[in-house]
Structures are given as structure tokens and as C-alpha cells.
């Protein structure tokens, strides 16, 4: 599993002025099969008027289903599963109990064993005016610094995923306003995932973003 690294020296100079998009090396957090050499645009529909949270459908630019997110069967409200289009479990999300800063753990497949932990996400601080989450890979046991960060405004559905503490952008999320979203109680937004970045990982972060912000609202 390869961590994001700093951009070349010439990119560093420009990074201080404006954020830079990620390109290489590949950021394969869940699987290299979810990394492409070109940007990936995903549409996400979250059903708002439901009893339980986490009912997401993720599609490609052609409207084909890529992922679904549902509550685990016969589980509590704090567990979600990311499924591929065929219904195969890719990762399982579980809220960690008795955590100072709300923390979610992500495991491979339908497991919740620590041996299958991929990464964890926590709020940078307990009280936030803007969204800011720290992401730690399972191998980062000291957690001296986050491997990734998510910053922005969940209320406006405008968030950016960064590599570590850098200005290197891995993905960006934007709000989409449609007539059907208003009429049928759906929350529509889109995500652009930059080349070489695991788009299943980015979707997983968005699911956790929703859980944290919905539960806190």
C-alpha cells in the first residue's frame, strides 16, 4: 500500500500559491483496480427521506451504477457497507464507540476484524465551523500526522480531499441541483477524482462525511 508523497520540487513552488492536482504515484488504498490514469467523475445520489442514513447510489458519467451503500443486514445504525454494482461488499464502515473525536473505521470486505482494517477517519476537532477530517492508514499506528485530510463545507456539499498536510488535491466534491432532487427527497452531488487516485477510497470518505455530519446535525 503506497502513501501519497510530495510533488516534485518544481510543483512545490507553485503549490504554495495554488493547490495542485494529484497525478503520480498511484494512491491505491482499497485496490489498484479502482485507480485510473485519467480523472473519474462520479455522480452520487443520497436518499434524504429515509428512516436510516447511508442509502447512496454512485454512478459514472453514463449513469451506470458503480457503487451502492447500505446499512449492514440486521446491524445497528453505526455500520455501513460499500457494495459494487453486483452487490459484492468492498469495505465495511464501523463507528468506533467511546471515541473523543468521532471516529470511523473502514475494513476490507464485510469484515470488522482489526486485521482487516484499511484506514480510519476522525474529526480534527470536536467543534468545527467547517468540515475537517483526518484520515489515517492502518499502517500509521502513531498517527503523528494524517495521511490524508478532508476540508470544506458539508452543508454546501463542497469538500476537497488532500494528500496529508499538503495542498495536493486528490478529489473534489460539488453540489448538484436538479428538479428531481427537490421533488423526490434526494441529495445529488458530484465528485471528481484525479488520475491515479483510488475512487472507491474517495467514495468511502464521502460516506463517512455524511455519517458524521448527519449525526451531528
Amino acid at each position: 500500500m503506497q502513501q501519497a508523497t510530495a510533488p516534485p520540487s518544481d510543483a512545490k513552488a507553485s503549490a504554495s500559491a495554488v493547490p495542485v492536482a494529484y497525478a503520480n504515484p498511484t494512491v491505491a488504498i482499497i485496490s489498484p483496480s479502482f485507480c485510473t490514469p485519467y480523472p473519474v467523475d462520479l455522480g452520487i445520489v443520497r436518499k434524504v427521506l429515509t428512516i436510516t442514513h447511508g442509502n447512496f447510489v454512485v454512478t459514472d458519467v453514463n449513469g451506470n451504477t458503480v457503487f451502492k451503500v447500505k446499512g449492514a443486514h440486521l446491524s445497528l445504525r453505526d455500520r455501513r457497507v460499500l457494495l459494487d454494482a453486483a452487490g459484492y461488499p468492498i469495505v465495511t464502515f464501523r463507528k468506533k464507540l467511546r471515541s473523543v473525536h468521532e471516529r470511523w473505521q473502514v475494513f476490507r470486505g464485510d469484515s470488522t476484524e482489526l486485521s482487516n482494517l484499511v484506514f480510519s477517519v476522525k474529526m480534527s476537532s470536536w467543534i468545527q465551523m467547517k468540515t475537517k477530517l483526518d484520515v489515517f492508514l492502518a499502517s500509521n499506528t502513531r498517527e503523528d500526522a494524517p495521511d490524508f485530510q478532508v476540508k470544506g463545507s458539508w452543508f454546501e456539499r463542497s469538500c476537497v480531499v488532500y494528500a496529508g498536510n499538503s495542498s495536493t488535491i486528490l478529489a473534489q466534491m460539488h453540489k448538484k441541483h436538479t428538479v428531481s432532487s427537490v421533488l423526490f427527497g434526494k441529495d445529488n452531488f458530484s465528485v471528481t477524482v484525479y488520475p491515479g487516485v483510488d475512487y472507491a477510497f474517495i467514495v468511502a470518505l464521502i460516506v463517512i462525511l455524511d455519517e458524521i455530519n448527519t449525526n451531528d446535525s
Side-chain angles (χ1 to χ4, degrees), residues 102 104 121 123 133 208-217:
E102 185 166 344
W104 282 77
V121 180
M123 295 172 62
L133 304 180
I208 295 172
L209 261 172
D210 173 70
E211 288 292 337
I212 290 176
N213 285 275
T214 302
N215 292 340
D216 288 345
S217 59

Side-chain angles (χ1 to χ4, degrees), residues 7-149:
S9 57
D10 57 338
K12 285 182 180 178
S14 61
S16 59
V18 294
V20 294
Y22 207 80
N24 289 300
T26 298
V27 183
I29 306 303
I30 293 176
S31 171
S33 63
F34 298 118
C35 300
T36 69
Y38 48 83
V40 174
D41 290 313
L42 299 173
I44 300 179
V45 177
R46 173 183 175 273
K47 296 179 182 178
V48 180
L49 303 178
T50 55
I51 296 175
T52 58
H53 303 307
N55 292 311
F56 283 87
V57 175
V58 182
T59 62
D60 62 17
V61 292
N62 297 315
N64 300 312
T65 298
V66 180
F67 302 116
K68 294 180 181 179
V69 181
K70 293 185 178 181
H73 183 57
L74 297 178
S75 71
L76 297 177
R77 179 171 173 270
D78 60 358
R79 190 179 176 198
R80 297 284 174 265
V81 180
L82 178 66
L83 310 168
D84 65 12
Y88 181 81
I90 298 172
V91 290
T92 296
F93 313 86
R94 185 180 67 179
K95 183 178 179 181
K96 188 173 182 180
L97 301 177
R98 296 181 296 277
S99 176
V100 177
H101 294 168
E102 185 166 344
R103 179 186 287 261
W104 282 77
Q105 296 173 308
V106 180
F107 304 85
R108 294 196 181 280
D110 57 2
S111 172
T112 54
E113 299 292 331
L114 285 179
S115 58
N116 289 314
L117 180 67
V118 182
F119 64 91
S120 61
V121 180
K122 75 177 185 70
M123 295 172 62
S124 298
S125 60
W126 183 249
I127 300 176
Q128 297 188 351
M129 297 301 292
K130 292 282 188 177
T131 297
K132 186 177 180 182
L133 304 180
D134 292 332
V135 183
F136 302 95
L137 299 178
S139 57
N140 185 359
T141 55
R142 293 175 59 89
E143 297 189 355
D144 292 330
D147 297 287
F148 306 95
Q149 287 191 318

Side-chain angles (χ1 to χ4, degrees), residues 183-200:
L183 294 178
F184 299 105
K186 294 180 179 180
D187 188 8
N188 293 9
F189 45 101
S190 61
V191 179
T192 298
V193 183
Y194 285 100
V197 179
D198 187 328
Y199 57 87

